[in-house]
Amino acid sequence: MLEEIIIAGFGGQGVMSMGQLIAYAGMLEGKGVSWLPSYGPEQRGGTANCAVVVSDEPVGSPLVTKPTTAIVLNNPSFDKFESKVRSGGLFIVNSSLVTRTADRKDITNIEIKATDLANELGNSRVANMILLGAFLEYTKIVTMDSILESLKKVLGPDKYHLIEVNKQALEKGASLLMEKTI
Amino acid sequence: MGKVLMKGNEVIAESAVHAGCKYFFGYPITPQSELVAYMARRLPEVGGLFLQAESEIAAINMVYGASSTGARVMTSSSSPGFSLKQEGISYLVGSELPAVICNIVRGGPGLGNIQPAQSDYFQVTKGGGHGDYHIPVLAPASLQEIVELIQDAFDIADRYRNPVIIMGDGMLGQMMEPVEFTERPVSELPEKNWAATGTRGDGGPKIITSLELDADGLEKRNQHLQKKFAEMKEKEVRYETYKTEDADYIIVAFGTVARIAMNAMNKARQDGVKVGLIRPISLWPFPEKPFIETRDKVNMYISVEMSAGQMVEDVRLAVNGHAPVDFFGRNGGVVPTQEEIYHKIMMIAGGIQV
């Protein structure tokens, strides 16, 4: 198993922490993992992305150029990464904010109105977790339990009260795929 | 303590603490600022001292001062800041003071940018400061390897009374990987009876200086330094080889680039091209042995770097005309992709017609 994931969006949408959660969960399961952020003169509202590798073996290159999965949360990220997804790969789009339509036929396109659904849950900032829940349900590269365990580490004790809403969002994302409503 | 997920810069800092580093003087610069920030928080916890200097020049001279007392001390920076430290590094060598200096290289020359690069190779391996000197340079490729090499770096520095450089790139500093801080027995090192900690009626004053106005005296001192460098060349070479036994082509790459090149190597092998890889871990002393062992058997070496071609000169010296040496590199902060490296291999191997 070798998953090479790119997660991209505006700074503040939680793309970096989504990647860290996957990497952390992979580590807890004894897998080889790496997390590499795009970094530069970034600012809140600018675009940001991270590359995550999860493998049964120690990770070779942490740099991902042809992802098996790309998760995009805004239009610039859609434009940048749609063509990069490996043939047969997965492309998850936050269609609340992305106005483009994915039309590649050789990859699996999943469109989720994640920001709208997050608002329904009462916290627009968990849109990332809805997308992550769908991604986990589709790929099953790490278990939901490992992600929840990682969430405690990534959030830290003073944000434990946010675990519940994050959990709801993860489950919401997963349920969308289980019910095949998308 | 089990595995933890950390950023490369933080791993360097924590590894230094594990190696007994008690003092850090530095000045923040992207992409290594997390290292400085981590030390600011961590060193007071272990009874050490962190000080943010007013400049990189001040920081390296504070290192000189702390090292003179026999303490384990470190500084770090990235390319433009590292350039500012060169005078101080030359003084450390001249005064025979141990220290560990970390350079998380970014795109240059000049202010350049903050993206990953390896274009300070010449500077770290050929001596960025003045005078006849060498500094052991260690280049980790993974976060776990950082743990090992930082401990080695402090030991080498103490053993030879010479600074040691850790060279990484922005990618290594910024990425996260699981690491385990393994404890290992303290190496046997010579006592620091030269340290200037005050006389207690136990001998004359201890003088630490790089100044020697008498030419014969300075030449003698240089001969002493050269003897140390010769010993380092003999004993401190580190490298790894992968699949070089049957290789027709050998990629030479260090640090994170070696990992990207390894993916390209594996893909080329799947397609029937026998590619191997030599990964220098010590950039100085440069490992000559793996080249001597392979240079009469391979068709070509390809040095892959995040520079316009710097290590390739050392590769040519090590191959010494026995085989052709080619180069592939990206620079200015652009990271070579495994697809590009694969393409280069296949072109050389005749698999792709252009």
Side-chain angles (χ1 to χ4, degrees):
Chain A
M1 186 268 296
L2 174 67
E3 277 282 338
E4 297 182 294
I5 308 147
I6 283 180
I7 308 172
F10 289 126
Q13 282 184 308
V15 297
M16 295 300 183
S17 45
M18 282 168 82
Q20 283 180 12
L21 280 174
I22 298 169
Y24 217 111
M27 180 181 79
L28 292 179
E29 294 182 6
K31 297 183 165 81
V33 297
S34 69
W35 174 90
L36 177 69
S38 68
Y39 70 93
E42 317 278 14
Q43 58 185 26
R44 193 174 180 87
T47 57
N49 69 73
C50 64
V52 180
V53 181
V54 183
S55 172
D56 289 329
E57 288 169 37
V59 174
S61 169
L63 187 77
V64 174
T65 38
K66 291 188 174 167
T68 52
T69 297
I71 306 174
V72 298
L73 282 76
N74 64 4
N75 276 332
S77 303
F78 183 102
D79 295 342
K80 188 169 180 189
F81 293 110
E82 189 200 13
S83 62
K84 303 260 169 69
V85 179
R86 205 174 295 179
S87 188
L90 177 65
F91 192 45
I92 301 181
V93 178
N94 176 12
S95 52
S96 295
L97 299 180
V98 174
T99 53
R100 322 265 200 276
T101 310
D103 57 2
R104 270 183 64 185
K105 300 287 180 267
D106 61 329
I107 56 175
T108 304
N109 296 297
I110 296 178
E111 294 184 355
I112 298 174
K113 290 198 174 301
T115 309
D116 296 300
L117 291 167
N119 282 327
E120 284 172 27
L121 289 173
N123 189 336
S124 66
R125 294 179 63 187
V126 296
N128 60 342
M129 290 297 129
I130 293 176
L131 297 165
L132 181 58
F135 166 73
L136 294 175
E137 181 60 30
Y138 188 89
T139 62
K140 298 199 162 44
I141 58 162
V142 290
T143 65
M144 192 64 89
D145 283 347
S146 302
I147 289 284
L148 292 173
E149 185 62 32
S150 309
L151 202 51
K152 288 184 198 158
K153 307 270 188 194
V154 172
L155 284 175
D158 51 330
K159 287 186 184 160
Y160 273 3
H161 61 282
L162 293 173
I163 288 179
E164 190 50 36
V165 67
N166 277 282
K167 189 175 172 210
Q168 284 172 12
L170 284 162
E171 285 165 353
K172 179 74 192 170
S175 72
L176 295 173
L177 281 198
M178 285 187 258
E179 295 158 11
K180 299 206 189 302
T181 52
I182 42 176
Chain B
M1 69 185 268
K3 283 188 173 173
V4 287
L5 193 67
M6 288 172 83
K7 268 195 170 192
N9 284 328
E10 297 170 341
V11 175
I12 293 170
E14 184 59 36
S15 304
V17 172
H18 274 254
C21 173
K22 283 280 196 295
Y23 301 93
F24 183 95
F25 306 97
Y27 189 83
I29 179 171
T30 309
Q32 63 83 60
S33 294
E34 294 87 355
L35 203 170
V36 181
Y38 192 94
M39 282 304 205
R41 182 175 63 74
R42 186 76 171 100
L43 278 178
E45 290 176 2
V46 294
L49 180 129
F50 164 86
L51 198 145
Q52 181 171 321
E54 70 269 33
S55 73
E56 288 84 350
I57 297 171
I60 192 70
N61 287 295
M62 289 174 184
V63 167
Y64 185 104
S67 181
S68 299
T69 69
R72 280 200 159 176
V73 55
M74 182 180 186
T75 185
S76 70
S77 194
S78 178
S79 307
F82 183 75
S83 287
L84 286 169
K85 294 183 194 289
Q86 297 310 314
E87 181 198 40
I89 293 172
S90 173
Y91 277 53
L92 284 167
V93 178
S95 304
E96 295 195 80
L97 289 172
V100 173
I101 302 150
C102 190
N103 182 8
I104 300 297
V105 183
R106 60 188 239 180
L111 208 47
N113 61 23
I114 59 177
Q115 305 303 326
Q118 296 180 323
S119 43
D120 296 357
Y121 180 92
F122 281 154
Q123 188 184 31
V124 296
T125 59
K126 311 293 176 193
H130 56 282
D132 270 326
Y133 77 85
H134 285 291
I135 293 183
V137 182
L138 303 176
S142 73
L143 272 50
Q144 190 61 51
E145 193 175 36
I146 289 174
V147 178
E148 194 71 19
L149 291 185
I150 293 277
Q151 295 197 3
D152 284 350
F154 277 102
D155 287 354
I156 294 170
D158 282 348
R159 188 170 299 124
Y160 297 95
R161 290 182 60 185
N162 201 73
V164 174
I165 291 171
I166 297 283
M167 177 163 162
D169 62 74
M171 206 169 9
L172 190 80
Q174 294 296 320
M175 69 183 284
M176 281 180 142
E177 263 184 333
V179 286
E180 194 166 4
F181 291 95
T182 45
E183 303 297 338
R184 69 178 192 192
V186 181
S187 313
E188 254 183 60
L189 294 165
E191 205 187 324
K192 293 183 174 177
N193 52 12
W194 47 265
T197 51
T199 55
R200 296 170 194 85
D202 56 353
K206 288 160 184 165
I207 297 165
I208 293 169
T209 180
S210 60
L211 180 72
E212 176 57 85
L213 292 174
D214 173 57
D216 288 334
L218 187 54
E219 186 178 48
K220 207 172 240 173
R221 180 181 292 187
N222 266 289
Q223 285 163 351
H224 165 68
L225 293 177
Q226 290 300 323
K227 222 173 115 190
K228 288 201 303 184
F229 300 142
E231 193 183 340
M232 291 176 205
K233 273 189 97 162
E234 194 186 316
K235 294 180 181 165
E236 304 303 337
V237 177
R238 287 163 172 75
Y239 63 92
E240 276 189 358
T241 60
Y242 306 89
K243 302 180 183 171
T244 51
E245 299 77 20
D246 65 340
D248 292 325
Y249 303 91
I250 290 181
I251 298 173
V252 191
F254 68 94
T256 53
V257 177
R259 297 174 61 162
I260 300 169
M262 189 124 48
N263 279 29
M265 173 188 88
N266 286 331
K267 178 144 173 27
R269 279 211 167 239
Q270 279 171 16
D271 294 344
V273 181
K274 285 182 185 160
V275 184
L277 187 126
I278 295 173
R279 179 170 73 90
I281 298 170
S282 59
L283 304 182
W284 194 91
F286 190 77
E288 290 171 358
K289 192 162 162 257
F291 295 94
I292 292 167
E293 286 169 353
T294 56
R295 66 194 187 188
D296 292 316
K297 292 185 280 188
V298 304
N299 296 341
M300 192 182 284
Y301 294 89
I302 310 155
S303 187
V304 180
E305 305 171 47
M306 281 195 285
S307 75
Q310 300 194 8
M311 179 177 69
V312 64
E313 295 193 0
D314 285 334
V315 174
R316 288 206 178 98
L317 285 171
V319 173
N320 202 15
H322 287 245
V325 177
D326 204 338
F327 169 76
F328 178 75
R330 300 295 303 264
N331 58 18
V334 179
V335 180
T337 64
Q338 51 180 306
E339 290 82 11
E340 287 174 326
I341 301 168
Y342 168 80
H343 190 79
K344 176 76 183 178
I345 297 167
M346 298 311 274
M347 249 172 45
I348 286 172
I352 294 174
Q353 303 295 325
V354 285

